[in-house]
Amino acid sequence: MEQSSNFIRTIIKQDLETGKRDHVITRFPPEPNGYLHIGHAKSIVINFGLADDFGGKTNLRFDDTNPLKEDQEYVDSIKEDVSWLGYEWDELHYASNYFDEMYDRAVLLINKGLAYVDDLSADEIREYRGTLTEPGKESPHRSRSAEENLDLFERMKKGEFADGSKVLRAKIDMASPNLNLRDPVLYRVSHATHHNTGDTWCIYPMYDFAHPLEDAIEGVTHSLCTTEFEDHRPLYEWVVRECEMDMQPQQIEFGRLNITNTVMSKRKLKQLVDEQHVDGWDDPRLPTISGMRRRGFTAEAIREFVKETGVSKGSGVVDSAMLDHFVREDLKLKAPRTMGVLRPLKLVITNYPEGEMEWLDAEINPENPEMGTRQIPFSREIYIEQEDFMEEPPKKYFRLFPGNEVRLKHAYFVKCEDFIKDEDGNVVEIHCTYDPRTKSGSDFNERKVKGTIHWVDATHAVPAEFRLYEPLILDSEEEDEEKTFLDYVNEKSLETLNGFIEPNLQNIDAQEKLQFFRHGYFNVDPKHSKPGKPVFNRIVSLKSSFRL
RNA sequence: UGGGCUAUAGCCAAGCGGUAAGGCAACGGACUUUGACUCCGUCAUGCGAAGGUUCGAAUCCUUCUAGCCCAGCCA
């Protein structure tokens, strides 16, 4: 596929052409404090994709500098998700493996008079920082001697001070219009057990100090991140320069991915999970990689979607219809096409001999003949879709109604002769006659029908559960300061139906994807599907220009 | 009201002084044993606005407007 140009690709290309760089190394640096979502997938596709395009390499690096929030469980799931998305990292690293070197660099800063130990409390530091429009003021501890700072910092490391009692700060400029440069905290005391280093450390580096060092240590040439870090770039460069690292990685920022009718922040996703609006991090309605995988989205579709939405610095919102498009596109030739009735209505073919049945040949995917054919049973009683019959049809309704004839996919023409209602007035059974001459595959062409409907033979039908999803977040009209995203949670985002499928699907494997004729693409739910009683998640419906 | 960033169609997005790519959506039409797919066609005299420079401006300059991000010992 033709690679569309984007500003980062242009920069890298130039760097290579001008000789600024002679190779490319990128990295995907997640913090193992939660599950990956499709926003991370964008970062993954960009980092791995770009490096690959230029013959470079990409590392997976866990940015594990805050033991309070991180856990091995997350590093495992992140690795799984990156692999599932189809990428192989060159080197696997942990920021925590660099703690010794980071400590040494901090000592260097102290010796250069560029860092100091501060005794101010968190609240005081905030007050001293000033505001967006007013400069901050210097801490009374700012002018401690290097010797004193060295001593204090070493004692911080040894565990002599309580959490929050002391921090190491960079000495930059308390009056900078960029708040990140107002003597940012470099190290904090935290007597916490780290998932990787255990209790070796009780001081941990902050992101702004750690990240540039990690990149420089690994020789990352292009450090790609999202736009909210733009303000941090001067600090990033300050750290690499003043810590006298051998090479200077270049930080480049791109806009986050947003998609309509969903939420992308870890905080909001966590809230949806914690408050049980959804059923866990892998709920098929969530944009988490695990949720999308369970819903049935393919890695290929996610990758293509991300590529097509592009890379820019803008903060736009991509229409979820584009995501839908790429799954349909990917599954079109791969997924078997079969018949499933989600809302069953019995249909009796009155002129089909009782007790008889036949096996019909049916192609598995007419757009991909190599997938072959299957046999499906047919007899006097079948199930059709409730919405495929109307007692009083509107104009341009091509399906069944009294006197109308339709084609049963892979079978015969049937004509509606009668129907039965229950006491409540609901249609419960349709009576039709069929024309044996119209069998699928025959050359019958004496008359045509406008509609073709799907069905499942009643005596062989296998019960199945279907789960249909709607957007988790409803459209919000005008902005309302009073409301939060929780006010727009769609409480009807999941609809569960019980219907029937063809018998050959009875023991279908988890994560198998298929198209139910005229409905859409479905995935076999890995958690709740069982042999003999499959559960299907609708990934996406088919497009439809039909409107009642 | 300090700093950083962004404005190209309903949405995403190319374009980098030579006369507005592409994708999604939408809308016509053809085909159709999926109201699907496929195919054909339509969809910015216009690039946030107003000035200016130039033979020529989405691209350069000026001013304005709107939106996003920043005051964690989170990343």
Side-chain angles (χ1 to χ4, degrees):
Chain A
M1 182 191 260
E2 185 81 7
Q3 285 295 160
S4 77
S5 108
N6 67 59
F7 78 102
I8 299 179
R9 182 185 303 279
T10 304
I11 290 171
I12 296 178
K13 203 167 164 226
Q14 276 172 4
D15 288 347
L16 258 16
E17 284 168 358
T18 61
K20 177 181 177 184
R21 307 284 185 192
D22 61 6
H23 67 291
V24 175
I25 296 180
T26 60
R27 102 266 93 117
F28 173 58
E31 181 188 16
N33 70 341
Y35 292 80
L36 257 32
H37 53 65
I38 192 169
H40 294 105
K42 173 175 181 174
S43 176
I44 291 168
V45 170
I46 290 173
N47 276 293
F48 281 88
L50 242 22
D52 190 54
D53 290 344
F54 292 101
K57 302 196 160 161
T58 304
N59 297 336
L60 170 61
R61 181 179 69 229
F62 289 99
D63 209 357
D64 54 353
T65 56
N66 184 357
L68 260 18
K69 295 186 173 179
E70 296 148 10
D71 197 279
Q72 185 63 35
E73 171 196 353
Y74 300 122
V75 344
D76 294 339
S77 80
I78 288 168
K79 283 183 186 172
E80 182 190 353
D81 287 348
V82 173
S83 296
W84 179 77
L85 279 169
Y87 295 97
E88 285 179 35
W89 51 87
D90 187 52
E91 296 170 6
L92 175 65
H93 293 296
Y94 293 83
S96 51
N97 287 157
Y98 309 138
F99 283 170
D100 281 311
E101 172 153 10
M102 289 175 187
Y103 181 85
D104 291 343
R105 299 291 168 172
V107 168
L108 173 64
L109 250 24
I110 292 173
N111 280 129
K112 293 170 77 175
L114 292 175
Y116 61 98
V117 172
D118 198 351
D119 301 349
L120 255 29
S121 70
D123 285 344
E124 289 168 325
I125 286 180
R126 188 182 324 113
E127 285 166 27
Y128 274 65
R129 186 154 33 224
T131 68
L132 294 177
T133 52
E134 297 163 316
K137 54 184 181 187
E138 299 183 351
S139 165
H141 312 290
R142 197 176 200 257
S143 53
R144 289 215 252 237
S145 69
E147 291 68 30
E148 189 181 359
N149 282 320
L150 248 18
D151 175 60
L152 257 14
F153 188 47
E154 190 178 343
R155 289 162 61 195
M156 279 171 66
K157 180 191 179 191
K158 284 181 176 167
E160 291 186 25
F161 305 114
D163 291 7
S165 61
K166 282 186 170 45
V167 292
L168 181 73
R169 290 229 258 171
K171 190 186 289 187
I172 306 182
D173 179 8
M174 288 307 291
S176 173
N178 182 345
L179 302 240
N180 296 119
L181 264 18
R182 319 245 261 228
D183 288 10
V185 172
L186 266 23
Y187 266 93
R188 75 282 214 181
V189 178
S190 181
H191 292 266
T193 302
H194 189 280
H195 72 93
N196 192 29
T197 59
D199 295 319
T200 306
W201 295 85
C202 63
I203 55 172
Y204 293 93
M206 297 289 290
Y207 168 86
D208 282 317
F209 181 63
H211 206 88
L213 297 181
E214 296 159 21
D215 285 339
I217 291 168
E218 291 175 20
V220 168
T221 54
H222 302 269
S223 176
L224 314 180
C225 63
T226 44
T227 52
E228 66 268 31
F229 291 102
E230 238 160 350
D231 288 344
H232 296 243
R233 197 189 327 133
L235 177 53
Y236 181 101
E237 289 168 353
W238 183 93
V239 170
V240 175
R241 185 175 65 249
E242 299 302 346
C243 286
E244 302 174 14
M245 301 304 287
D246 290 337
M247 63 92 66
Q248 170 83 254
Q250 180 182 3
Q251 175 179 302
I252 305 171
E253 312 84 10
F254 60 86
R256 292 185 96 104
L257 172 64
N258 294 298
I259 300 176
T260 56
N261 302 296
T262 190
V263 290
M264 209 68 90
S265 81
K266 266 185 197 171
R267 195 201 104 237
K268 289 178 180 174
L269 291 171
K270 184 171 177 359
Q271 203 171 349
L272 288 170
V273 172
D274 289 346
E275 296 179 16
Q276 296 179 9
H277 291 97
V278 296
D279 182 28
W281 285 95
D282 63 349
D283 187 292
R285 291 165 291 184
L286 256 20
T288 51
I289 300 301
S290 51
M292 293 180 73
R293 177 166 58 226
R294 186 173 159 204
R295 170 86 164 253
F297 284 94
T298 59
E300 167 80 6
I302 292 173
R303 276 188 256 119
E304 290 306 311
F305 165 75
V306 166
K307 286 177 190 166
E308 192 55 45
T309 55
V311 183
S312 73
K313 301 197 71 164
S315 57
V317 187
V318 179
D319 195 330
S320 61
M322 207 185 285
L323 220 199
D324 294 343
H325 166 79
F326 284 100
V327 219
R328 292 192 192 102
E329 187 68 22
D330 183 38
L331 260 20
K332 185 167 58 189
L333 300 182
K334 295 180 183 168
R337 299 181 186 185
T338 178
M339 298 196 285
V341 175
L342 310 202
R343 297 178 182 84
L345 171 61
K346 181 165 281 189
L347 184 153
V348 179
I349 301 163
T350 56
N351 61 338
Y352 195 91
E354 283 190 59
E356 277 192 27
M357 62 91 56
E358 61 188 300
W359 289 90
L360 303 170
D361 283 320
E363 51 201 346
I364 289 173
N365 187 334
E367 290 189 75
N368 186 0
E370 287 181 9
M371 294 181 83
T373 61
R374 68 188 188 281
Q375 298 256 295
I376 49 177
F378 180 77
S379 64
R380 194 169 195 266
E381 295 192 359
I382 62 176
Y383 291 112
I384 63 166
E385 211 67 59
Q386 285 172 21
E387 61 180 25
D388 285 340
F389 172 83
M390 283 187 92
E391 183 180 352
E392 294 171 24
K395 292 256 188 265
K396 292 193 175 174
Y397 184 81
F398 304 152
R399 287 107 96 144
L400 279 174
F401 54 85
N404 193 45
E405 187 174 45
V406 301
R407 179 193 298 277
L408 292 176
K409 177 71 179 174
H410 298 309
Y412 303 90
F413 285 9
V414 289
K415 184 176 182 182
C416 178
E417 308 287 358
D418 197 8
F419 61 95
I420 299 174
K421 285 184 175 179
D422 65 11
E423 299 156 346
D424 301 323
N426 301 312
V427 176
V428 293
E429 194 170 298
I430 310 295
H431 288 176
C432 290
T433 52
Y434 87 119
D435 181 347
R437 298 177 302 157
T438 60
K439 184 170 182 176
S440 182
S442 71
D443 294 330
F444 182 83
N445 62 1
E446 286 176 28
R447 61 182 189 278
K448 299 212 179 264
V449 288
K450 296 279 278 182
T452 296
I453 65 173
H454 61 276
W455 53 276
V456 170
D457 182 63
T459 53
H460 295 79
V462 173
E465 182 176 314
F466 302 93
R467 296 178 182 175
L468 311 186
Y469 304 100
E470 293 295 327
L472 227 206
I473 305 295
L474 268 3
D475 287 321
S476 47
E477 325 293 282
E478 291 308 302
E479 316 190 358
D480 189 337
E481 296 292 334
E482 303 290 292
K483 296 190 173 182
T484 72
F485 82 101
L486 288 175
D487 293 307
Y488 295 103
V489 169
N490 181 4
E491 299 300 343
K492 294 177 184 164
S493 53
L494 167 63
E495 181 180 13
T496 302
L497 299 172
N498 288 290
F500 299 104
I501 56 174
E502 295 178 22
N504 50 319
L505 261 30
Q506 187 161 5
N507 298 314
I508 191 165
D509 291 333
Q511 291 295 116
E512 284 293 314
K513 288 149 193 70
L514 43 80
Q515 181 197 114
F516 280 121
F517 219 70
R518 299 207 300 141
H519 280 299
Y521 293 96
F522 290 71
N523 183 48
V524 179
D525 189 276
K527 270 196 173 172
H528 299 138
S529 196
K530 289 194 286 283
K533 183 64 197 297
V535 174
F536 296 95
N537 296 326
R538 185 171 68 188
I539 310 165
V540 63
S541 67
L542 255 25
K543 293 214 308 186
S544 173
S545 57
F546 175 67
R547 290 190 181 75
L548 230 41

